[in-house]
Each structure stands twice: as structure tokens, then as C-alpha cells.
Amino acid sequence: VNVAPVPDSIVVNVGDCLMRWSNDELVSTPHRVVSDPTVTADVLPERFSIAFFCNPNKSTMVECLPSCSSDTNPPRYDPIKAFEYLCGRLSDTISR
């Protein structure tokens, strides 16, 4: 997702867990930072990227939020405890 730089602002990437919680209303995106291809100077302006991952308490139930489902848009995922979900996601990345 291309995001135009806005002074004194931050960009928040939605993670997979929040995507699941929102029943895919919010979409997880690849997490990466690249240089602005429109800048052609020999020296690029400073740009900072700080990864901060926030996870729910391990006993928290990750299930579709009530406002993100309806009769015509039922929950897409079964409820799961946050710890089980995180362990599964980490296991998926290690086993590749």
C-alpha cells in the first residue's frame, strides 16, 4: 500500500489478528518500508521505521466483533484464544 508522507504522522499496518477480529473488514498488508522511488537525489532524506507489535493477552478470545458480521456476512473464522492463534501463526512462518 503506497502511503503519501504526511509530516508529523504515523502509519499503522493492520495485522493478521486484527483482520481476523474484524471479519476481513480491515485488511492486513505486507509489513515493509522502501525508499521513495520519486527521490532522485544522491543522498536520500532520513526516514525511520519502528516496528511495534502489540498482541492481546494470551487468554483473550479472538472472535468476530459484533459490528463486523451480519446475517448476510457471517463470521469467517472460528473463535480462538490469542495465544493459540499467535503460536499457530509463528509456527506457520517457521515451518516454511
Side-chain angles (χ1 to χ4, degrees):
V1 175
N2 292 327
V3 179
V6 176
D8 301 320
S9 65
I10 62 171
V11 175
V12 176
N13 282 335
V14 170
D16 296 341
C17 187
L18 188 54
M19 183 171 162
R20 183 182 180 113
W21 243 327
S22 74
N23 207 29
D24 296 348
E25 295 263 339
L26 301 173
V27 179
S28 176
T29 58
H31 296 65
R32 66 177 179 268
V33 175
V34 295
S35 296
D36 183 350
T38 64
V39 176
T40 58
D42 290 335
V43 177
L44 297 175
E46 287 186 324
R47 180 169 179 187
F48 300 96
S49 176
I50 301 171
F52 176 79
F53 297 93
C54 181
N55 294 306
N57 291 335
K58 63 182 182 179
S59 62
T60 299
M61 190 60 68
V62 178
E63 56 189 323
C64 182
L65 297 169
S67 61
C68 296
S69 67
S70 66
D71 292 338
T72 59
N73 184 32
R76 293 177 172 90
Y77 309 99
D78 292 331
I80 188 172
K81 287 194 175 178
F83 184 72
E84 293 169 15
Y85 176 76
L86 180 59
C87 286
R89 294 293 293 149
L90 292 174
S91 178
D92 288 347
T93 62
I94 293 170
S95 62
R96 288 185 189 178

